[in-house]
Amino acid sequence: KLTGRELVISGSVRPSFWPVLGVKTGPISVANAEWSEEGPLLQAGSMEIAVDMASLFSGDVRITGLQLTEPAIVLERNAEGQGNWDFREVAGGGGTAGPETPGQGTPFTLDRGAISGGTVRFIDHAAGTDVLLERVEAEARVPDFDGAAEVTGSARMGGQDVAFTGNIAEFAAFL
Protein backbone atom coordinates (compact mmCIF):
# COMPACT_ATOMS: atom_id res chain seq x y z
CA LYS A 1 0.00 0.00 0.00
CA LEU A 2 2.85 2.40 0.82
CA THR A 3 4.35 2.09 -2.66
CA GLY A 4 1.07 2.63 -4.49
CA ARG A 5 2.16 -0.18 -6.83
CA GLU A 6 0.60 -3.56 -7.38
CA LEU A 7 2.71 -6.53 -6.22
CA VAL A 8 1.74 -9.88 -7.76
CA ILE A 9 3.05 -13.19 -6.42
CA SER A 10 2.17 -16.12 -8.69
CA GLY A 11 2.53 -19.80 -7.96
CA SER A 12 3.52 -21.16 -4.61
CA VAL A 13 4.77 -19.33 -1.55
CA ARG A 14 6.85 -21.54 0.74
CA PRO A 15 7.64 -20.18 4.19
CA SER A 16 10.40 -21.49 6.44
CA PHE A 17 10.67 -20.94 10.18
CA TRP A 18 13.78 -22.69 11.45
CA PRO A 19 16.74 -22.29 11.41
CA VAL A 20 16.08 -19.40 9.07
CA LEU A 21 12.92 -17.34 8.94
CA GLY A 22 12.16 -16.88 5.28
CA VAL A 23 10.01 -17.28 2.24
CA LYS A 24 10.49 -18.52 -1.31
CA THR A 25 8.01 -17.48 -3.97
CA GLY A 26 7.20 -18.38 -7.50
CA PRO A 27 7.11 -15.63 -10.13
CA ILE A 28 6.68 -12.05 -8.87
CA SER A 29 6.07 -8.66 -10.45
CA VAL A 30 5.94 -5.07 -9.22
CA ALA A 31 3.96 -2.57 -11.30
CA ASN A 32 5.72 0.37 -12.88
CA ALA A 33 4.96 4.07 -12.37
CA GLU A 34 1.64 5.23 -13.83
CA TRP A 35 3.41 7.30 -16.49
CA SER A 36 5.51 4.39 -17.80
CA GLU A 37 4.57 2.38 -20.87
CA GLU A 38 7.37 -0.19 -20.42
CA GLY A 39 5.59 -2.91 -18.44
CA PRO A 40 6.46 -3.83 -14.85
CA LEU A 41 9.27 -2.20 -12.89
CA LEU A 42 10.33 -5.68 -11.79
CA GLN A 43 9.49 -9.23 -12.86
CA ALA A 44 11.34 -12.27 -11.54
CA GLY A 45 11.05 -16.03 -11.89
CA SER A 46 11.34 -16.39 -8.11
CA MET A 47 12.35 -14.55 -4.98
CA GLU A 48 13.88 -15.83 -1.75
CA ILE A 49 14.24 -13.85 1.46
CA ALA A 50 15.93 -15.22 4.59
CA VAL A 51 16.29 -13.51 7.98
CA ASP A 52 18.36 -14.72 10.92
CA MET A 53 15.74 -15.62 13.53
CA ALA A 54 18.13 -15.51 16.50
CA SER A 55 19.11 -11.89 15.76
CA LEU A 56 15.43 -10.87 15.66
CA PHE A 57 15.09 -11.86 19.34
CA SER A 58 17.76 -9.30 20.20
CA GLY A 59 16.05 -6.62 18.09
CA ASP A 60 18.47 -6.75 15.17
CA VAL A 61 17.38 -7.30 11.57
CA ARG A 62 19.97 -9.44 9.82
CA ILE A 63 18.92 -10.43 6.32
CA THR A 64 21.03 -13.45 5.49
CA GLY A 65 19.83 -13.78 1.93
CA LEU A 66 17.83 -11.98 -0.74
CA GLN A 67 17.80 -13.70 -4.13
CA LEU A 68 16.03 -12.73 -7.35
CA THR A 69 16.17 -15.35 -10.08
CA GLU A 70 15.89 -14.24 -13.72
CA PRO A 71 14.68 -10.73 -12.91
CA ALA A 72 13.79 -8.21 -15.59
CA ILE A 73 14.26 -4.76 -14.05
CA VAL A 74 13.22 -1.58 -15.87
CA LEU A 75 14.66 1.63 -14.41
CA GLU A 76 13.17 4.62 -16.15
CA ARG A 77 13.36 8.40 -15.84
CA ASN A 78 10.60 10.46 -17.43
CA ALA A 79 11.11 13.71 -19.34
CA GLU A 80 10.65 15.69 -16.10
CA GLY A 81 13.43 13.72 -14.39
CA GLN A 82 11.30 11.57 -12.08
CA GLY A 83 12.54 8.02 -11.65
CA ASN A 84 10.15 5.07 -11.58
CA TRP A 85 12.07 3.83 -8.53
CA ASP A 86 11.04 6.91 -6.51
CA PHE A 87 8.03 5.85 -4.46
CA ARG A 88 7.76 9.13 -2.53
CA GLU A 89 5.54 10.86 -5.09
CA VAL A 90 3.05 8.19 -6.03
CA ALA A 91 0.00 9.45 -7.88
CA GLY A 92 -3.27 7.75 -7.10
CA GLY A 93 -3.04 6.56 -3.56
CA GLY A 94 0.32 5.50 -2.25
CA GLY A 95 0.68 5.80 1.51
CA THR A 96 2.99 7.99 3.50
CA ALA A 97 5.72 6.47 5.62
CA GLY A 98 6.24 8.12 8.97
CA PRO A 99 7.60 7.32 12.42
CA GLU A 100 4.49 5.24 13.19
CA THR A 101 4.98 3.01 10.11
CA PRO A 102 6.11 -0.46 11.23
CA GLY A 103 9.79 -0.95 10.38
CA GLN A 104 10.34 2.67 9.37
CA GLY A 105 13.94 3.61 10.05
CA THR A 106 14.90 0.16 11.34
CA PRO A 107 18.57 -0.52 10.61
CA PHE A 108 19.38 -3.84 8.96
CA THR A 109 22.30 -5.75 7.53
CA LEU A 110 22.43 -7.89 4.41
CA ASP A 111 24.83 -10.81 4.29
CA ARG A 112 24.20 -11.50 0.60
CA GLY A 113 21.75 -10.05 -1.90
CA ALA A 114 21.94 -11.61 -5.35
CA ILE A 115 20.56 -11.38 -8.86
CA SER A 116 21.10 -14.30 -11.20
CA GLY A 117 20.26 -14.50 -14.89
CA GLY A 118 18.80 -11.01 -14.99
CA THR A 119 18.33 -8.08 -17.29
CA VAL A 120 18.43 -4.42 -16.31
CA ARG A 121 17.20 -1.76 -18.69
CA PHE A 122 17.74 1.95 -18.01
CA ILE A 123 15.63 4.34 -20.07
CA ASP A 124 16.18 8.09 -19.72
CA HIS A 125 13.50 9.95 -21.68
CA ALA A 126 15.08 13.35 -20.95
CA ALA A 127 18.46 12.27 -22.37
CA GLY A 128 17.01 10.00 -25.06
CA THR A 129 19.04 6.99 -23.93
CA ASP A 130 18.12 3.32 -23.55
CA VAL A 131 20.76 1.00 -22.07
CA LEU A 132 20.27 -2.75 -21.72
CA LEU A 133 22.36 -5.05 -19.51
CA GLU A 134 21.83 -8.76 -20.14
CA ARG A 135 23.05 -11.87 -18.31
CA VAL A 136 23.32 -9.86 -15.10
CA GLU A 137 24.93 -11.71 -12.19
CA ALA A 138 25.34 -9.46 -9.16
CA GLU A 139 25.87 -9.57 -5.41
CA ALA A 140 25.45 -6.91 -2.76
CA ARG A 141 26.54 -6.89 0.87
CA VAL A 142 25.60 -4.46 3.63
CA PRO A 143 27.58 -5.58 6.71
CA ASP A 144 26.87 -2.37 8.65
CA PHE A 145 23.75 -0.21 8.08
CA ASP A 146 25.68 2.97 8.89
CA GLY A 147 28.86 1.84 7.16
CA ALA A 148 30.01 0.84 3.71
CA ALA A 149 28.15 -1.46 1.32
CA GLU A 150 29.55 -3.21 -1.73
CA VAL A 151 28.20 -4.42 -5.06
CA THR A 152 29.99 -6.72 -7.52
CA GLY A 153 28.87 -8.39 -10.69
CA SER A 154 29.02 -8.99 -14.37
CA ALA A 155 26.76 -8.45 -17.37
CA ARG A 156 26.70 -8.19 -21.13
CA MET A 157 26.15 -4.75 -22.66
CA GLY A 158 26.18 -3.97 -26.38
CA GLY A 159 27.65 -7.37 -27.16
CA GLN A 160 30.53 -6.90 -24.69
CA ASP A 161 31.08 -8.63 -21.37
CA VAL A 162 31.55 -6.21 -18.49
CA ALA A 163 32.43 -6.62 -14.82
CA PHE A 164 31.73 -4.07 -12.14
CA THR A 165 32.42 -3.33 -8.51
CA GLY A 166 31.06 -0.49 -6.48
CA ASN A 167 31.14 0.79 -2.93
CA ILE A 168 28.72 3.00 -1.06
CA ALA A 169 30.59 4.74 1.73
CA GLU A 170 27.57 5.39 3.97
CA PHE A 171 24.69 3.02 3.22
CA ALA A 172 22.15 4.62 5.57
CA ALA A 173 22.66 8.08 4.01
CA PHE A 174 22.44 6.55 0.52
CA LEU A 175 19.21 4.75 1.35
Side-chain angles (χ1 to χ4, degrees), residues 101-135:
T101 305
Q104 178 69 18
T106 303
F108 63 90
T109 60
L110 174 63
D111 291 355
R112 180 180 180 265
I115 291 175
S116 62
T119 62
V120 177
R121 183 176 176 204
F122 180 69
I123 306 162
D124 189 335
H125 294 283
T129 58
D130 190 336
V131 177
L132 177 64
L133 297 174
E134 300 174 292
R135 294 191 241 170

Side-chain angles (χ1 to χ4, degrees), residues 79-92:
E80 291 75 39
Q82 182 182 10
N84 66 342
W85 59 86
D86 187 351
F87 294 101
R88 292 175 296 177
E89 298 180 26
V90 177

